[in-house]
Amino acid sequence: MQVQANNFIPASSIAVRDPDLQLAVNQAMTTAYNKRLAAMFVYGNEHGEWMRQQAAEAKRRALRSLPELLEKTEANMTANGIKVLWAEDAAEVCRYVVEIARQHDVKVVTKSKSMISEEVALNHVLEEHGIRVVETDLGEYIVQLSDETPSHIVMPVVHRTKESIRELFKAKLKMPHTDEAEEMTAFARQVLREAFLSADMGVSGGNFVIAETGTVCLVTNEGNGRMVTTLPRVHVAIVGIEKVVETVDDYAMLTQILPRSATGQNLPVYTNMMSGPRREGDPDGPEHQYVIFVDNGRTKIYGTEYTEVLACIRCGACQNACPVYRVTGGHAYGWVYAGPIGAVVTPLLNGLDQAKPLPNASSLCGKCKEVCPVDIDLPRLLLDLRRDLVAEGKSDAVYNWGIKLWEIGNRSPRLFALGGTAARIGQKIVGQRMPGPIGGWTKYRDFPDFAPKSFRQLWRERKNGKS
């Protein structure tokens, strides 16, 4: 997927004026946020926080020994009959998948929901090689039909209303008119069932990979993951190298906190654990199974001050809580990952040049850290990226000069006092709407009144006995 994160400001300006998007996103995020609160703290705040810290330690322990765990995972997967491949970048991922498809004479591919396949633009490459691709997660299928990209990590069509989906199904699938969501879902289910039965290869991601057993773990709510990974004769799992965890116990902890944070469920509806292709006597499963471990910029992050962002389990909780995401939706962020996690991950994976506005697309309210199931300090990471923008000379020139003038004024008591006086006089002239760059802030809110007297003036008057 092409990175368009530098268009965040104009894209978000359009998004905040879209009433359908505002209605759909705000309702969905409010519901998801409240459901998470109920599920995470059903046994009390202490229990919920304990789960967060256990999950955080499981991920950080895995990151501390990631190279060794990846070697252990490869050895166990190979022993299980899985073919393990390593991809340095998006192009290599796509090349591997195309080669596997050609090797097995694949004509139709069904896909389970996978953010990393969006990251490497796999669908477009397969289609360019004449291979039909069908997304089977209902949200991803709607995105595919509308030729869009997902706007949320967990809820790909959170930006769409039921009415717009109805019209899409009528236009693309010739669905009879109905206003019932259940009937629309049933219609799509029937269409997708035909794809499941005709597919030669299934492609999935992986929520977690267990090094101890060489197992790929997939959690879904629709059952499509099971269909994609067991019905076709070939299964390919594409996973980021950061998805590895050490033990089955770690996975058991993480698979409890992921659905609570993502959808407010105690457990997902379906949990698939895949440890190799079909063996003799197995009733189902693929004849051939491949796992492609993807770097695509992750090793550049590993071992730096930003390493903890690799602990992300892609639950979307930070998006649900973020006041900026709630009004812009996901597409304004210009790449696969939106919200606070996207504002950090997109610049790190693609370079600050490709995503200069994103580190500033945050109010730093701290909600993202508060809800993160593995306690990633996203506000600190955003501040560090802002620092890097300044250090590399990539921040806004007007902003830089404003900070320099502020620094000069605050180092001189005389200039500081003069600035306060000028500000009080200037506000009386211009009122609540500030001129120049500050005008963007006061366009939508009143500027607070400056105090009639400065603290220094009040202090002098108090010393002189005037108050």
Side-chain angles (χ1 to χ4, degrees), residues 380-400:
R380 180 189 66 79
L381 298 178
L382 288 166
L383 283 172
D384 288 347
L385 284 170
R386 294 180 186 186
R387 176 206 62 202
D388 293 347
L389 281 170
V390 174
E392 296 177 21
K394 295 170 182 172
S395 55
D396 185 80
V398 174
Y399 174 82
N400 290 344

Side-chain angles (χ1 to χ4, degrees), residues 112-172:
S112 180
K113 187 175 182 301
S114 166
M115 295 305 293
I116 199 163
S117 70
E118 297 283 350
E119 185 181 319
V120 302
L122 177 63
N123 287 12
H124 296 294
V125 174
L126 289 175
E127 288 164 356
E128 286 172 358
H129 286 82
I131 299 169
R132 182 187 173 213
V133 183
V134 182
E135 293 284 357
T136 63
D137 173 88
L138 181 56
E140 290 281 352
Y141 184 54
I142 293 167
V143 165
Q144 185 180 31
L145 286 176
S146 58
D147 196 25
E148 294 180 315
T149 55
S151 60
H152 189 280
I153 290 174
V154 176
M155 299 169 276
V157 288
V158 70
H159 61 291
R160 276 187 168 268
T161 61
K162 182 183 72 172
E163 292 73 23
S164 72
I165 294 170
R166 177 195 64 203
E167 296 307 312
L168 178 70
F169 280 6
K170 288 169 63 177
K172 297 286 187 175

Side-chain angles (χ1 to χ4, degrees), residues 374 424 448:
V374 289
R424 286 189 290 274

Side-chain angles (χ1 to χ4, degrees), residues 3 55 130 136 146 172 208 224 231 238 264 325 346 428 433 460:
V3 184
T136 63
S146 58
K172 297 286 187 175
F208 305 101
N224 63 308
L231 285 180
I238 306 171
Y325 179 90
T346 300
K428 290 179 181 178
R433 300 293 179 261
R460 281 196 301 271

Side-chain angles (χ1 to χ4, degrees), residues 40 47-59 61 208 210 245 247-261 266-267 313 373-374:
M40 280 293 297
H47 180 267
E49 189 57 33
W50 175 85
M51 285 199 299
R52 287 183 72 219
Q53 296 310 317
Q54 288 289 308
E57 174 54 25
K59 285 295 294 182
R61 182 168 12 93
F208 305 101
I210 306 173
V245 297
T247 66
V248 174
D249 286 344
D250 289 336
Y251 166 70
M253 178 70 252
L254 289 160
T255 200
Q256 293 179 66
I257 203 163
L258 172 58
R260 282 178 163 88
S261 298
N266 290 337
L267 285 173
I313 61 174
V374 289

Side-chain angles (χ1 to χ4, degrees), residues 82-294:
I82 300 172
K83 175 67 174 177
V84 179
L85 301 167
W86 301 87
E88 185 175 351
D89 54 25
E92 194 164 20
V93 175
C94 295
R95 179 170 61 82
Y96 279 145
V97 177
V98 170
E99 287 175 356
I100 293 167
R102 285 175 173 167
Q103 179 184 342
H104 296 283
D105 194 27
V106 169
K107 301 292 189 299
V108 179
V109 170
T110 49
K111 282 182 72 258
S112 180
K113 187 175 182 301
S114 166
M115 295 305 293
I116 199 163
S117 70
E118 297 283 350
E119 185 181 319
V120 302
L122 177 63
N123 287 12
H124 296 294
V125 174
L126 289 175
E127 288 164 356
E128 286 172 358
H129 286 82
I131 299 169
R132 182 187 173 213
V133 183
V134 182
E135 293 284 357
T136 63
D137 173 88
L138 181 56
E140 290 281 352
Y141 184 54
I142 293 167
V143 165
Q144 185 180 31
L145 286 176
S146 58
D147 196 25
E148 294 180 315
T149 55
S151 60
H152 189 280
I153 290 174
V154 176
M155 299 169 276
V157 288
V158 70
H159 61 291
R160 276 187 168 268
T161 61
K162 182 183 72 172
E163 292 73 23
S164 72
I165 294 170
R166 177 195 64 203
E167 296 307 312
L168 178 70
F169 280 6
K170 288 169 63 177
K172 297 286 187 175
L173 304 177
K174 308 304 179 186
M175 182 188 75
H177 180 85
T178 177
D179 284 323
E180 298 301 321
E182 293 82 1
E183 293 179 13
M184 289 186 237
T185 302
F187 184 86
R189 183 173 181 262
Q190 187 62 40
V191 173
L192 290 172
R193 184 58 54 94
E194 296 174 8
F196 286 132
L197 296 174
S198 63
D200 308 297
M201 184 167 83
V203 174
S204 74
N207 295 96
F208 305 101
V209 175
I210 306 173
E212 183 180 38
T213 57
T215 302
V216 178
C217 304
L218 199 63
V219 296
T220 67
N221 278 328
E222 299 176 17
N224 63 308
R226 175 76 173 169
M227 299 274 201
V228 164
T229 58
T230 58
L231 285 180
R233 51 193 168 84
V234 181
H235 169 229
V236 180
I238 306 171
V239 293
I241 56 175
E242 80 281 11
K243 295 290 187 175
V244 174
V245 297
E246 192 170 1
T247 66
V248 174
D249 286 344
D250 289 336
Y251 166 70
M253 178 70 252
L254 289 160
T255 200
Q256 293 179 66
I257 203 163
L258 172 58
R260 282 178 163 88
S261 298
T263 54
Q265 298 167 276
N266 290 337
L267 285 173
V269 178
Y270 298 93
T271 298
N272 293 3
M273 300 177 71
M274 299 159 283
S275 298
R278 180 188 302 184
R279 297 171 177 82
E280 186 177 351
D282 286 348
D284 58 19
E287 298 172 14
H288 308 277
Q289 190 169 44
Y290 299 81
V291 173
I292 303 174
F293 283 107
V294 183

